[in-house]
Amino acid sequence: MIDIRGLSVFYGKEKALDDINLSIEKYSTCAVIGPSGCGKTTLLYVLAGLVTPGSGKVIIDGTEQKGVRQGTAIVFQDYGLLPWKTVWNNVALGLQVRKYSKDFIKQRTHHILGVLGLEHLKDKYPSQLSGGQKQRVAIGRALAMQPDLLLMDEPSSALDAITREHIQDLVLEIYKSFPMTMVLVTHNIEEAVFLGKKIVVMGKACIKHVLDNPYFGDMSLRRKEEFYRACIEVRKWLDGGEER
Amino acid sequence: MNYIKRIQSSRTLYGVLMVVLLWYALHFTVRSAFIPSPHETFVNFVRIFPRTLLLHLLASLGRITAAVAFSVVAGVSAGLLIGMNRKIDRLVSPVIYILYPIPKVAFVPLFMILFGLGNLSKVIMIMSIILFQIIVTSRDAVKELTKELFYSAKSLGMNRPQLYRHLVIPAVLPKIITAVRISVGTSIAVLFYGENFATTYGIGYFITNSWSMVNYTEMFSGILGMSLLGYILFKVIDLIENHLCGWVKA
């Protein structure tokens, strides 16, 4: 699905990403984990077509990435909701922009709000919602466009511990019920292990290690010992990496 | 809702009462024809309103509306263009900063030579003052938009017109309405000056004329009319704001 070849990105003279090579299989998930400032959000923005690579290329579904792609949806760290639009209009926005018929937009938005349990909030503005609710709306906005590639930037970092796990459960459920490839960026080890079939550990502007996560997909994973073993494994790579 | 409305209306009532009380106090302490009593003024106001005052007020309202409307259309367009485009910003903003503080009323004679003695020169004089406020406000409002919101809009595949429709214009609207509110206040003050030249209609003319004819009751009726005009304009702007920017108060 995604092939990243020799990707570098510069912000002025500073290297945000340096010669990244990575491939992600179709209908799988990939969690990119790393300390803040390592370039993981930049990587996500390149995949979304929002940041143009300095060199190298990204091939998605056989075609080279140029600008925003129709089938890609992104959930932003700060939710990316427009404050002047109601929940309903925020979810419908992507469909309106793509000029779907009014009937289709209505039916699709209704369906998505139902799936995410947001029906009762449809006339609220983002400022009237809790963090968890905002994240649901942001996920709804992305899902409404029926993406085959869903990108998520720190899906739960701004939330309290309990809401965080709810959102992570929701993301896994969504992955299981909608056929798509998912790439998420996080600095939370548990989140990476819970949501990443492939876990990419990043250091400054580079990939330190790629792990396959055999435990991925188990909804009750958090109650199992393997989960914590996997977390420790990821932590070791995060802390040291090169020395091992 | 009802409760809020009641507070609002009683607040207005409170304001009116206080002004009337102060006015009476002045009237009785000064004891001169300069300051007619409120009731005298009010009776006069009601008497001259339908045939005289209304026409003067409408003339002024027309000039203010035209000036504010043109300034909003031109000023917002220019402000958005400057705010969205760094090159244009670098070229235009220094010029604006130099022109902004110049006292434009000094150019009244020039405006009258260039645009005639009629309404056009008065409208242009108001515009020359409030246009800058609106340009600078809308420019800064655009600049305040975060990069993240632009990314968010672009990620949905928005083209340029859609970006303006869904992101830029709604984002700057509340600030533009504030700028309009300030502009209306400025317009009334400026117009009062402008209507002293080459016209026989307008509330500014009416007030100055009553003053030179030593008719203080009519002069105060004119002032009363002017403040009512301003009050109504501000209320209309409030209504527009509630209608267009419901999300701000939500």
Side-chain angles (χ1 to χ4, degrees):
Chain A
M1 175 84 185
I2 302 176
D3 232 335
I4 301 169
R5 292 182 198 160
L7 175 71
S8 299
V9 175
F10 302 88
Y11 288 137
K13 277 190 176 172
E14 199 195 345
K15 258 186 190 171
L17 291 172
D18 186 10
D19 194 23
I20 301 284
N21 292 286
L22 180 69
S23 62
I24 298 164
E25 291 78 41
K26 199 163 190 150
Y27 302 132
S28 74
T29 77
C30 174
V32 179
I33 187 165
S36 51
C38 72
K40 55 191 193 302
T41 295
T42 303
L43 179 62
L44 204 73
Y45 282 180
V46 171
L47 293 180
L50 294 170
V51 169
T52 330
S55 62
K57 56 185 167 184
V58 174
I59 295 159
I60 297 179
D61 234 5
T63 44
E64 195 178 330
Q65 170 87 324
K66 280 210 169 69
V68 175
R69 176 178 165 273
Q70 177 100 34
T72 304
I74 176 165
V75 176
F76 291 88
Q77 183 177 5
D78 57 0
Y79 318 115
L81 303 174
L82 301 185
W84 39 89
K85 290 192 185 278
T86 58
V87 167
W88 176 280
N89 283 326
N90 263 296
V91 171
L93 185 57
L95 302 169
Q96 287 164 353
V97 166
R98 283 177 191 172
K99 304 216 164 74
Y100 285 97
S101 78
K102 278 206 171 114
D103 283 342
F104 178 82
I105 294 175
K106 205 172 161 187
Q107 179 207 330
R108 179 100 193 124
T109 308
H110 194 74
H111 172 68
I112 292 293
L113 290 178
V115 169
L116 294 169
L118 293 166
E119 276 286 355
H120 62 295
L121 300 172
K122 68 182 165 66
D123 296 323
K124 298 266 184 211
Y125 290 101
S127 61
Q128 298 169 298
L129 304 178
S130 70
Q133 288 168 336
K134 280 185 213 169
Q135 188 59 285
R136 276 168 193 270
V137 177
I139 291 171
R141 185 181 94 160
L143 283 183
M145 294 189 288
Q146 291 177 291
D148 59 1
L149 173 59
L150 180 63
L151 308 172
M152 279 184 283
D153 192 2
E154 305 274 5
S156 67
S157 66
L159 307 172
D160 61 85
I162 293 167
T163 317
R164 180 180 303 156
E165 294 196 350
H166 285 164
I167 288 289
Q168 289 168 358
D169 288 349
L170 176 73
V171 170
L172 190 56
E173 277 165 28
I174 285 167
Y175 169 73
K176 287 184 168 187
S177 43
F178 295 86
M180 59 186 171
T181 311
M182 209 147 89
V183 180
L184 64 120
V185 149
T186 182
H187 60 237
N188 181 304
I189 294 172
E190 284 87 0
E191 182 163 285
V193 174
F194 189 71
L195 293 176
K197 190 171 193 316
K198 180 180 266 186
I199 300 171
V200 175
V201 181
M202 282 186 73
K204 180 100 188 96
C206 64
I207 292 177
K208 275 184 178 174
H209 190 69
V210 180
L211 290 105
D212 275 312
N213 176 11
Y215 313 114
F216 168 77
D218 186 349
M219 289 298 294
S220 56
L221 188 61
R222 290 194 202 89
R223 269 177 255 132
K224 293 179 179 163
E225 262 178 55
E226 299 95 277
F227 178 68
Y228 294 96
R229 244 177 275 139
C231 286
I232 291 167
E233 171 86 4
V234 172
R235 184 177 289 278
K236 279 181 188 160
W237 281 105
L238 263 177
D239 290 347
E242 286 99 334
E243 290 87 47
R244 280 180 34 148
Chain B
M1 202 58 217
N2 228 336
Y3 185 59
I4 297 170
K5 267 187 188 159
R6 219 184 294 161
I7 291 182
Q8 198 106 48
S9 66
S10 69
R11 265 193 191 167
T12 308
L13 204 67
Y14 166 79
V16 171
L17 274 175
M18 284 309 283
V19 172
V20 170
L21 270 177
L22 280 170
W23 188 348
Y24 267 117
L26 268 173
H27 171 69
F28 286 119
T29 45
V30 177
R31 287 215 157 272
S32 149
F34 291 147
I35 303 172
S37 74
H39 60 267
E40 203 183 329
T41 308
F42 190 71
V43 168
N44 179 260
F45 177 84
V46 173
R47 193 173 54 79
I48 65 170
F49 183 79
R51 294 200 153 194
T52 318
L53 215 45
L54 184 63
L55 293 174
H56 290 289
L57 283 170
L58 285 177
S60 298
L61 178 66
R63 288 167 188 149
I64 293 170
T65 314
V68 172
F70 282 124
S71 302
V72 166
V73 173
V76 171
S77 314
L80 296 189
L81 194 69
I82 299 168
M84 291 284 277
N85 193 317
R86 208 174 289 172
K87 265 185 205 156
I88 298 181
D89 187 19
R90 241 176 280 155
L91 286 174
V92 178
S93 287
V95 182
I96 290 178
Y97 287 163
I98 291 172
L99 292 180
Y100 193 177
I102 293 176
K104 271 66 138 203
V105 281
F107 293 118
V108 167
L110 189 71
F111 288 144
M112 289 200 291
I113 292 166
L114 286 175
F115 305 107
L117 301 173
N119 284 321
L120 185 63
S121 60
K122 293 176 179 57
V123 169
I124 287 183
M125 184 192 63
I126 302 176
M127 279 183 69
S128 71
I129 294 172
I130 62 175
L131 192 62
F132 290 97
Q133 300 171 350
I134 293 174
I135 292 177
V136 172
T137 309
S138 37
R139 181 200 67 175
D140 291 351
V142 175
K143 283 185 168 177
E144 273 174 33
L145 277 172
T146 59
K147 209 164 141 196
E148 282 70 29
L149 273 180
F150 273 101
Y151 277 150
S152 169
K154 277 186 191 158
S155 77
L156 297 174
M158 283 192 198
N159 56 29
R160 200 92 178 151
Q162 286 170 330
L163 210 60
Y164 275 95
R165 186 183 148 203
H166 295 290
L167 178 67
V168 178
I169 292 175
V172 301
L173 210 51
K175 283 172 187 142
I176 288 171
I177 287 177
T178 303
V180 168
R181 212 175 264 134
I182 296 169
S183 299
V184 164
T186 314
S187 302
I188 294 175
V190 171
L191 192 67
F192 180 78
Y193 177 77
E195 282 177 343
N196 283 308
F197 304 97
T199 182
T200 49
Y201 271 102
I203 194 67
Y205 164 79
F206 179 83
I207 293 171
T208 322
N209 193 50
S210 308
W211 175 52
S212 52
M213 300 201 327
V214 211
N215 190 339
Y216 292 112
T217 318
E218 288 215 341
M219 179 182 139
F220 268 72
S221 293
I223 294 171
L224 184 62
M226 202 170 188
S227 66
L228 273 178
L229 175 68
Y231 181 80
I232 291 167
L233 283 173
F234 285 126
K235 281 289 159 188
V236 168
I237 296 169
D238 280 355
L239 282 179
I240 294 172
E241 183 177 35
N242 288 342
H243 182 69
L244 292 179
C245 312
W247 60 277
V248 176
K249 285 182 184 162

